[in-house]
Amino acid sequence: MSLLSFLIFSPLIGVLVLLFIPKKQENLLKLIGFLATIPAFVVSLNLFFQYRSGLDLSTLSEKLDWIAFKNAIQYGELFTIKYELGVDGFQLVLLVLTAVVAMLAAIASVHIKEEWKGYFMLFLLLETGMLGVFAAENLVLFFLFFEMTLIPTFFLIGKWGYQEKEKAAYSFLIYNGLGSAILLIVIIALFARTGTTNIEALQAIMTSDDPQLLGSISEDLKLGLFIALLVAFGIKLPIFPLHSWMVRVHVQAPPSIVMIHSGILLKIGAYGLIRFGLGIFPEQFTSLAVLLAVLGVINLLYGAFLAFVQKDFKMVLAYSSISHMGIVLIGLGALNEAGIQGAVFQVVSHGLISALLFFLVGVFYERTQTTEFEKLGGMAKAMPLTAGFLLAGGMASLGLPGMSGFVSEFMAFLGLFKEMPVLAAVGALGIIMTAVYLLRAVLGITYGTANWQWYGAKDLRTVEFVPAIVLLALILLIGVYPNILSEPLQSTLEFIMLRIGG
């Protein structure tokens, strides 16, 4: 097994081991569930540092014969589907992000109360799907890994979530299932017209002046396929008004799964728009850039205003995620290097910040059984360390200089101000609102009217320190030294700019 395949499928080793462990041995189940996430973390981090030292990522590519249609032998390589894996700088960064968040979410799973065996088997299957999504070099393989993330997430929400967990799980499945169906239609159409699902080949074919196609692809069909792609990944991102399912999931799913959902799964939508939207349909993407920027501003303002009127911190963070995903759309809509780099930074930055905040929400809920502002208050005295991390996470989310949120927001808006200054000025209101609702929520919990019944609550346990410290350290590292991301992303940004004629 080559390195990328091992990286992707290593969590399944844990699944196999868990099969043979009795359900009653909870401590052993927890240990194996956590240990199974370590190989992917070690391999991805090692590849990241090797890449920064000069490793040629193309040497990691894998290609094996997989599916061939017998009646299409006359076309040679056409109408064959291969098992293809590969990474560029952007994909490698997302693989590291996935491995880190999954490992920390496994630690945060200490708050799960029952059926550890089933929980971790589904958890590790979900991690495999996420890793595969970011390494697939073939649309069919990408789709299979994409689908692999849906079923485990459905059961993890529906079985281990809160009061309305079944409703949230079915909402998740219906919306994302619809997105998957639309994505499948796009893949089938491209395969039928071009005879390939290789992403690199499609990028060349769709912008060639003399494409070698078995069937012509009109400009109208290209536009229609891109709009379908925008809807499919727009559900995942999510783009207003395709967002209601996500709010339910963030409120009802267990914190460890929300860490993964907000930190990684939502980013698949942004990844799809960048890699497939910009990569395969650059002309159509350019023609709808203004629409994307407008949708981004709507997301930003809509999420910010609704977050402001919430009384539950989980609801605030749910609408905050909608708002912050608007910054991704704003950066992409700018169609310049600063904007696109800001969008990519926001994908990584929000993945870390949201994972930290939802982890801390889980800690508070574990102690108090509530996340409502009116019932929480004065937690800086009862749980000073947890409150301190919460304050730091809130500052990162509102874009405090020196933290990752500032870098991504600054670059995205810099790009938009260059192209659409009026729209950027309107969108800047969302940044102001972000500071308002986050300070209102965070300060209300930490320094609000004290609720004396929480004064006996235990602060962060030793095992809970790890996710909090690691996530905050990464947020600060990117904020202070953004080159740690911009250098690996440079080749990807150059390729994108070349596609759109920048």
Side-chain angles (χ1 to χ4, degrees):
M1 181 181 290
S2 61
L3 198 56
L4 279 183
S5 289
F6 175 77
L7 168 63
I8 292 168
F9 295 107
S10 59
L12 296 185
I13 299 173
V15 174
L16 292 176
V17 175
L18 288 171
L19 282 172
F20 299 98
I21 302 211
K23 292 182 179 180
K24 294 182 179 180
Q25 296 187 23
E26 292 186 355
N27 290 333
L28 184 58
L29 292 170
K30 297 175 190 178
L31 179 62
I32 292 173
F34 165 69
L35 292 177
T37 64
I38 292 180
F41 169 73
V42 172
V43 172
S44 63
L45 202 61
N46 181 51
L47 288 178
F48 179 78
F49 286 115
Q50 285 191 46
Y51 177 52
R52 285 179 56 85
S53 300
L55 173 69
D56 183 1
L57 292 178
S58 63
T59 60
L60 300 174
S61 298
E62 302 175 29
K63 182 178 289 189
L64 299 171
D65 291 335
W66 187 22
I67 302 172
F69 296 90
K70 292 182 179 179
N71 60 346
I73 296 177
Q74 57 183 313
Y75 299 117
E77 288 291 314
L78 296 179
F79 293 106
T80 61
I81 301 172
K82 296 181 181 294
Y83 172 82
E84 298 170 292
L85 298 177
V87 289
D88 60 16
F90 181 36
Q91 291 169 280
L92 181 57
V93 166
L94 291 178
L95 285 173
V96 174
L97 176 68
T98 301
V100 169
V101 172
M103 184 181 68
L104 298 179
I107 297 174
S109 298
V110 295
H111 297 154
I112 298 297
K113 302 298 184 184
E114 58 183 2
E115 299 189 28
W116 289 89
K117 184 173 182 176
Y119 172 83
F120 268 117
M121 289 176 70
L122 290 168
F123 183 99
L124 295 171
L125 184 62
L126 172 59
E127 184 184 6
T128 298
M130 294 188 298
L131 292 168
V133 159
F134 296 128
E137 287 294 297
N138 181 292
L139 285 179
V140 171
L141 193 59
F142 170 86
F143 180 78
L144 291 177
F145 282 123
F146 184 83
E147 292 300 290
M148 190 185 291
T149 66
L150 299 187
I151 302 304
T153 307
F154 169 77
F155 285 111
L156 287 166
I157 297 168
K159 174 66 178 176
W160 287 273
Y162 297 119
Q163 290 83 358
E164 298 182 9
K165 56 190 178 184
E166 292 89 354
K167 184 177 180 179
Y170 280 109
S171 182
F172 165 84
L173 193 63
I174 291 170
Y175 272 90
N176 285 269
L178 178 61
S180 297
I182 295 171
L183 178 61
L184 182 60
I185 292 171
V186 173
I187 293 172
I188 291 172
L190 288 172
F191 185 58
R193 293 286 183 165
T194 66
T196 184
T197 56
N198 177 270
I199 296 169
E200 186 177 348
L202 286 170
Q203 289 172 344
I205 289 171
M206 297 297 282
T207 54
S208 173
D209 294 331
D210 184 26
Q212 300 297 312
L213 303 178
L214 296 176
S216 62
I217 299 184
S218 66
E219 293 302 314
D220 288 341
L221 179 56
K222 287 182 182 179
L223 182 61
L225 290 175
F226 172 69
I227 291 174
L229 203 67
L230 179 61
V231 173
F233 289 119
I235 291 173
K236 197 73 177 175
L237 193 63
I239 298 174
F240 174 85
L242 306 172
H243 66 284
S244 59
W245 66 273
M246 190 271 279
V247 177
R248 295 192 186 99
V249 169
H250 280 195
V251 173
Q252 299 300 329
S256 55
I257 301 307
V258 182
M259 286 175 67
I260 287 179
H261 189 265
S262 63
I264 306 300
L265 293 178
L266 297 187
K267 308 310 178 285
I268 295 176
Y271 171 77
L273 288 178
I274 295 169
R275 183 145 167 77
F276 306 136
L278 275 170
I280 299 176
F281 300 98
E283 295 178 6
Q284 291 68 37
F285 197 103
T286 302
S287 67
L288 295 180
V290 175
L291 174 61
L292 281 173
V294 170
L295 288 173
V297 170
I298 291 173
N299 255 48
L300 180 60
L301 295 176
Y302 172 84
F305 278 107
L306 283 185
F308 178 70
V309 300
Q310 303 304 318
K311 296 182 179 180
D312 187 292
F313 195 43
K314 285 194 289 187
M315 292 290 286
V316 170
L317 295 181
Y319 283 110
S320 177
S321 289
I322 295 172
S323 182
H324 281 89
M325 288 301 94
I327 295 173
V328 174
L329 295 174
I330 285 172
L332 295 178
L335 278 184
N336 53 36
E337 187 170 355
I340 293 172
Q341 190 169 13
V344 174
F345 264 68
Q346 179 68 0
V347 169
V348 180
S349 172
H350 182 262
L352 297 171
I353 295 171
S354 62
L356 173 62
L357 290 174
F358 276 107
F359 167 71
L360 295 172
V361 165
V363 173
F364 279 122
Y365 187 84
E366 177 71 13
R367 279 28 170 208
T368 66
Q369 300 301 303
T370 184
T371 52
E372 294 182 21
F373 300 158
E374 294 180 358
K375 296 180 180 178
L376 292 171
M379 299 305 289
K381 291 184 178 180
M383 301 171 62
L385 292 174
T386 311
F389 279 110
L390 179 66
L391 186 59
M395 295 301 101
S397 187
L398 62 82
L400 185 73
M403 293 184 162
S404 61
F406 172 77
V407 180
S408 56
E409 291 177 12
F410 177 79
M411 288 192 294
F413 272 94
L414 177 63
L416 191 63
F417 266 109
K418 287 182 178 179
E419 306 296 332
M420 310 169 204
V422 175
L423 188 61
V426 174
L429 295 174
I431 300 298
I432 298 171
M433 283 300 300
T434 301
V436 173
Y437 71 72
L438 277 172
L439 288 174
R440 169 179 170 265
V442 172
L443 294 180
I445 292 174
T446 55
Y447 297 110
T449 303
N451 190 330
W452 296 102
Q453 66 177 308
W454 310 136
Y455 270 41
K458 292 182 180 180
D459 211 339
L460 284 176
R461 291 182 285 169
T462 302
V463 70
E464 293 170 332
F465 263 111
V466 178
I469 290 175
V470 172
L471 290 169
L472 184 57
L474 291 172
I475 291 166
L476 290 170
L477 176 63
I478 295 171
V480 174
Y481 183 56
N483 270 1
I484 197 168
L485 281 187
S486 60
E487 289 177 2
L489 296 173
Q490 192 58 43
S491 60
T492 303
L493 290 171
E494 290 173 358
F495 174 77
I496 291 173
M497 296 309 297
L498 184 64
R499 300 290 289 175
I500 60 178

